[in-house]
Amino acid sequence: MPTLVSVAIAVEAVESGGRRWVENAGCVGVMQINPRWSIRSRAALFDPTVNREEGRRILGYWLKRSRGNLAKALAAYNCGNAGLLGECGRGYSRRVIRLAKILDRENPQP
């Protein structure tokens, strides 16, 4: 299993490639946070630091809901409860996990 740091970086890369933008569905910033999920204001989500904090908080929520199943948590991060049920987000999960594993190999932790 990849480290959670690598997973968070991979989510950011897959979601936005590091750009601060708003997608058609209204998701905001580098981790593409849906403002309805955030405890912060929509304007605050344009701050990359705030956006990353919220993204990690939301990912943590989905990890708890999925009982630690990273693939299901990532699918849910991508498309909500339907991801927990296996109805969507599988390709997204695979892309994030594959990138996180590459990041771990290229940046081994002591």
Side-chain angles (χ1 to χ4, degrees):
M1 181 163 131
T3 64
L4 292 179
V5 170
S6 292
V7 169
I9 293 167
V11 166
E12 180 178 331
V14 170
E15 287 288 347
S16 69
R19 296 179 305 274
R20 289 185 268 174
W21 55 288
V22 179
E23 68 150 1
N24 292 337
C27 296
V28 176
V30 295
M31 301 238 349
Q32 289 296 281
I33 304 300
N34 185 324
R36 290 177 283 161
W37 273 94
S38 180
I39 59 174
R40 309 282 181 92
S41 72
R42 186 175 192 278
L45 292 174
F46 284 97
D47 178 331
T49 301
V50 170
N51 195 279
R52 288 180 181 108
E53 289 169 358
E54 283 296 281
R56 289 190 305 267
R57 183 185 65 77
I58 294 166
L59 185 55
Y61 168 82
W62 288 118
L63 276 167
K64 286 179 187 169
R65 289 280 314 274
S66 69
R67 295 186 172 105
N69 183 315
L70 181 59
K72 284 187 177 183
L74 288 166
Y77 184 93
N78 183 246
C79 56
N81 281 322
L84 289 181
L85 301 173
E87 297 172 359
C88 66
R90 279 181 243 140
Y92 173 84
S93 295
R94 283 192 295 269
R95 283 192 311 274
V96 171
I97 291 169
R98 184 173 42 241
L99 179 56
K101 287 179 178 179
I102 290 168
L103 290 168
D104 280 345
R105 275 195 309 270
E106 292 180 357
N107 302 289
Q109 300 298 310

